[in-house]
């Protein structure tokens, strides 16, 4: 199964069709789906994340890698005895009410999904009650709130307060991000963490899950 040795590189370089071809051939040859995920796909995403941090890769590279990872996961997940074992955890993400920006939020969602999270992307202009309904429906471990405007960032606190009022706050970690948001603001509104970019969001999500 020498072809599997190329799979990590195909993820890093975002070669979707090449990556899918290797996965299909490996499965036909008897490779274990979970081993492919753990030893090749996730390692590829970790490598592109590292390159991004070091300034050797950029946002388009992250998007292509995440797309390649997602394409491979679609092949592998049905083959797992317990499909949930392929997921690091479930995560709900959305841009808060009054804000229609979604490019950054979608990049974060793609990276998280590519790194093994089950991502429920609610979209934009999401109210506190919609976040509450999503938590009740999907039972996520993490809720991610995004805002790009200074006029909407304060709504993140509304979401956190409503989660508390509904008795759901202790069930989830709340992470925030977006251009006007910073670490100080995150702590002020009672969030569990803040990330400044998509790769940092993946690292943060993994860290808070380990603390659960």
């Amino acid at each position: 199964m020498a072809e599997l040795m190329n799979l990590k590189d195909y993820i890093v370089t975002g070669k979707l069709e090449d990556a899918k071809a290797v996965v299909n051939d490996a499965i036909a040859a008897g490779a274990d789906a979970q081993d492919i995920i753990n030893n090749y796909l996730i390692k590829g995403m970790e490598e592109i994340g590292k390159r991004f941090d070091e300034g050797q890769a950029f946002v388009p590279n992250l998007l292509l890698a995440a797309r390649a990872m997602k394409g491979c996961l679609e092949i592998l997940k049905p083959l797992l005895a317990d499909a949930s074992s392929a997921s690091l955890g479930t995560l709900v993400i959305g841009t808060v009410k009054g804000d229609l920006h979604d490019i950054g939020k979608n990049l974060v969602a793609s990276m998280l999904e590519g790194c093994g999270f089950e991502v429920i992307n609610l979209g934009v202009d999401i109210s506190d009650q919609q976040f509450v309904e999503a938590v009740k429906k999907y039972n996520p471990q993490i809720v991610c709130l995004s805002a790009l405007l200074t006029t909407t960032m304060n709504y993140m606190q509304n979401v956190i307060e409503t989660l508390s009022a509904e008795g759901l706050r202790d069930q989830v970690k709340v992470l925030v991000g977006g251009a006007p948001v910073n670490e100080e603001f995150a702590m002020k509104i009672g969030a569990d963490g803040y990330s400044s970019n998509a790769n940092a969001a993946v690292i943060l999500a993994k860290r808070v899950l380990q603390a659960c």
Side-chain angles (χ1 to χ4, degrees), residues 7-8 19 37 42 49 53 68 82 94 103 151 161 164 185 189 193:
L7 183 54
K8 176 184 170 183
I37 292 169
I42 289 177
D53 281 343
D82 177 7
I103 294 175
T151 53
E161 290 173 351
S164 296
F185 175 78
I189 65 173

Side-chain angles (χ1 to χ4, degrees), residues 3 27 36 40-41 49 60 128-129 135 158 172 182 203 206:
E3 288 184 5
I27 291 299
I36 295 173
Y40 299 95
L41 301 186
D128 53 352
Q129 284 300 325
V135 170
N158 293 43
V172 295
N182 56 36
I203 295 169
K206 289 180 178 180

